[in-house]
Amino acid sequence: MSAPLLTSLAEPDGDRPDALTVAGRSCSREALLGAAGAVAARIAGAPVVAVRATPTVETVTAVVGALLAGVPVVPVPPDSGPAERDHILRDSKAALLLTGPQGEEDAGREAPAGPAGTPGPAGAPGPAGARGGAGPAAPVETVPVDLAERAAWTGPEPDPKATAFILYTSGTTGAPKGALISRRAVAADLDALAEAWAWTAEDTLVHGLPLFHVHGLVLGVLGALRTGSRLVHTGRPTPAAYAEAGGSLYFGVPTVWHRVTQDPDAARALSSARLLVSGSAPLPAPVFRDLELLTGHRPVERYGMTETLITLSTRADGERRPGYVGTPLSGIRTRVAAEEGAEIGELQLTGPTLFDGYLGRPEATTGSYTEDGWFRTGDIAAIEPDGFHRIVGRASTDLIKSGGYRIGAGEVENALLDHPAVREAAVVGAPHEDLGQQIVAYVVADGVSEAELIDFVAGQLSVHKRPRKVRFLDALPRNAMGKPQKKLLPPA
Ligand code: MCA
Ligand code: AMP
């Protein structure tokens, strides 16, 4: 039985003024607990709460407040356009949206919501990027988080089986689905990672990853709060900010580590760290080697998914091999479903860190498990005789990983088809040195430019889901059945 999720928050040395720093603003654990207690008091009893996940102390306070009160948190990417944002709010049925200070929010690109307490017009729920637009804005009451408010939260510890997070994540087609992540799954994962990485209260964790995904939010915020380590969130994950932060433990996606290797001075400043950790996408072997040359560290690589949290990793006290994601974390079992005689196949998992299904989508949940109850990752892997795992690729080319973000080709295609000038669209992930894959859109369209279409998608969905390139074709290659043949598209 693991300890309550936020155990270390109430520890006696909680008055250290820089326990938590986000984008240059610091606070103590005591102050965080007090302000989060005030949030908890305001939202207690709500079935679910959305948080506009800017990289700010307010976001951390909002998330901690909701977790104290036992209210499931739905992080909303701060740059999400109306289609994506409305889908997340409607699908999760979040009636409250916790945000930073009101003035800051007004400067953002958030779609206008109804005045506090007055639900907006009820529109037909439509998936993000569904042809025909998303309809009127989702009805939601905006609740600004005030860091000056304080309250001692005295409510009971929520049930470990209760949902901590509803994390929206893309599939190959359609709108993102809400993955239900329990409190005990988060606790089990963070404890397993702390063990594998020898992560303790002596560490200072540094990263600048977005606070709406597992990597930046679950590992990067709750991990620090649970282990008791200091946290420096750099706002953006730039090499210069990482170098300046002087941490012992660093998290990054491969794009971040690639950029660090392109900035040798920044890279050398990381020599004094204890551990550099890469995840969310494959770390290219050349980046691994350059990091070792410049920093003296062989990075730890770990593998995970929104639905499973982190399940495989190399260890602080073990071998770190380029191209390998190590061995299962404590409690995780893996197998490779390979065809007779083959060594590679789909990676399947069981263990305490797995999600509780997709919100309101029982068929998708059932479809993500094998008949004998193992989770199907959709990743193709091999397991070496010494137990080290290698991720070879993904089973479907319609799930793209760009800059560590998971993006469904179908969601971007639907967003493009919402543009009146676009008649057909096919989206692929093309290999890219810095982003791993970049989104390339092939369209049949008249009277619209590449830049207009890129801005259109960036405006409807999150900015990172925009195509980086658009190719105009007279027709998409199709088979005899009329199905688009992405393999026959011309090179990007
Ligand atoms: C550019 N911008 C635009 C447009 N073009 N804005 C609007 N419309 C446009 N057409 C602006 C953006 O707003 C942004 O501004 C700037 O240009 C750069 O945007 P972006 O594309 O985000 O930058 P990038 O440099 O390509 O980003 C690289 C990155 C990012 C920083 C590495 O990809 C990133 O943060 N990745 C992390 C993803 C992650 O955490 N994944 C974890 C998933 P401004 O700069 O002002 O904002 S969890 C997971 O995978 C599992 C569980 C696991 O294993 O971890
Ligand atoms: P997400 O749901 O955003 O968490 O993305 C999960 C996907 O990221 C996995 O299914 C993998 O395809 C990919 N991924 C995460 N970590 C790694 C890694 N270390 N190596 C290769 N792929 C990874």
Side-chain angles (χ1 to χ4, degrees):
M1 186 67 199
S2 55
L5 190 52
L6 296 167
T7 329
S8 77
L9 259 187
E11 277 177 2
D13 63 344
D15 55 355
R16 184 184 169 140
D18 60 352
L20 172 76
T21 301
V22 186
R25 280 161 71 215
S26 298
C27 74
S28 67
R29 278 167 190 272
E30 216 169 63
L32 174 64
L33 191 57
V39 170
R42 286 178 77 173
I43 66 167
V48 52
V49 66
V51 174
R52 186 170 183 271
T54 49
T56 56
V57 177
E58 280 85 358
T59 294
V60 175
T61 306
V63 169
V64 171
L67 292 175
L68 286 174
V71 178
V73 177
V74 183
V76 180
D79 66 351
S80 54
E84 182 170 327
R85 175 184 177 278
D86 280 5
H87 166 67
I88 293 174
L89 294 176
R90 280 181 200 287
D91 189 73
S92 65
K93 300 194 173 63
L96 297 176
L97 176 66
L98 294 170
T99 68
Q102 201 61 57
E104 190 181 294
E105 295 312 312
D106 292 343
R109 57 175 278 181
E110 192 180 326
T118 51
R131 205 156 190 171
V140 66
E141 180 185 351
T142 302
V143 181
V145 171
D146 182 352
L147 296 179
E149 273 184 42
R150 292 281 188 281
W153 176 253
T154 54
E157 174 65 22
D159 186 340
K161 294 198 286 297
T163 300
F165 294 105
I166 306 173
L167 299 178
Y168 276 81
T169 188
S170 300
T172 52
T173 56
K177 300 189 282 289
L180 298 164
I181 312 292
S182 69
R183 302 171 73 93
R184 64 180 174 186
V186 172
D189 206 47
L190 295 177
D191 291 348
L193 290 173
E195 193 268 328
W197 300 341
W199 183 4
T200 69
E202 301 298 309
D203 278 306
T204 294
L205 170 65
V206 176
H207 73 93
L209 297 168
L211 298 186
F212 45 87
H213 282 311
V214 166
H215 198 162
L217 180 60
V218 177
L219 275 60
V221 173
L222 296 190
L225 296 179
R226 190 166 171 86
T227 56
S229 65
R230 264 186 78 215
L231 169 62
V232 179
H233 187 287
T234 56
R236 298 271 301 167
T238 61
Y242 275 35
E244 204 184 306
S248 63
L249 177 61
Y250 281 82
F251 291 171
V253 296
T255 302
V256 169
W257 293 123
H258 175 250
R259 292 177 186 184
V260 166
T261 63
Q262 302 302 297
D263 184 341
D265 288 339
R268 279 189 283 271
L270 303 187
S271 316
S272 56
R274 182 176 71 78
L275 211 63
L276 311 182
V277 183
S278 180
S280 303
L283 183 69
V287 178
F288 184 112
R289 295 199 181 100
D290 287 350
L291 267 182
E292 183 177 15
L293 277 174
L294 290 162
T295 68
H297 292 290
R298 289 168 78 79
V300 158
E301 185 167 2
R302 94 296 179 290
Y303 161 89
M305 282 184 84
T306 303
E307 291 89 337
T308 65
L309 304 182
I310 309 309
T311 48
L312 293 160
S313 185
T314 53
R315 300 176 54 89
D317 63 0
E319 188 197 350
R320 302 165 208 169
R321 206 183 291 167
Y324 287 83
V325 294
T327 52
L329 292 175
S330 172
I332 303 291
R333 289 194 299 149
T334 61
R335 70 184 187 191
V336 160
E339 308 245 312
E340 190 74 26
E343 279 170 8
I344 64 168
E346 186 186 41
L347 178 67
Q348 300 177 350
L349 302 160
T350 63
T353 65
L354 265 60
F355 75 150
D356 292 325
Y358 297 109
L359 179 67
R361 288 174 173 77
E363 280 170 21
T365 303
T366 308
S368 65
Y369 283 91
T370 63
E371 275 179 14
D372 59 346
W374 289 63
F375 180 77
R376 308 182 50 166
T377 65
D379 288 306
I380 306 300
I383 307 178
E384 300 295 322
D386 65 1
F388 259 47
H389 289 56
R390 181 162 58 91
I391 308 296
V392 180
R394 276 206 72 88
S396 168
T397 52
D398 283 337
L399 265 194
I400 299 166
K401 266 273 158 165
S402 185
Y405 285 115
R406 167 168 153 188
I407 300 146
E411 190 187 0
V412 183
E413 286 159 3
N414 285 339
L416 286 163
L417 289 169
D418 275 342
H419 192 286
V422 176
R423 281 180 282 144
E424 296 179 45
V427 165
V428 300
H432 189 270
E433 194 195 13
D434 181 50
L435 296 170
Q437 290 183 301
Q438 70 171 351
I439 301 176
V440 179
Y442 295 82
V443 298
V444 181
D446 296 311
V448 66
S449 70
E450 176 176 36
E452 279 173 281
L453 287 181
I454 292 173
D455 287 348
F456 183 75
V457 177
Q460 288 297 307
L461 308 177
S462 296
V463 170
H464 66 260
K465 293 181 179 172
R466 70 190 187 279
R468 305 277 170 145
K469 275 190 186 175
V470 179
R471 296 272 321 253
F472 292 89
L473 301 178
D474 293 334
L476 294 184
R478 292 182 183 273
N479 65 12
M481 311 294 290
K483 196 173 173 301
Q485 297 296 288
K486 291 193 179 180
K487 287 198 182 89
L488 299 181
L489 287 165

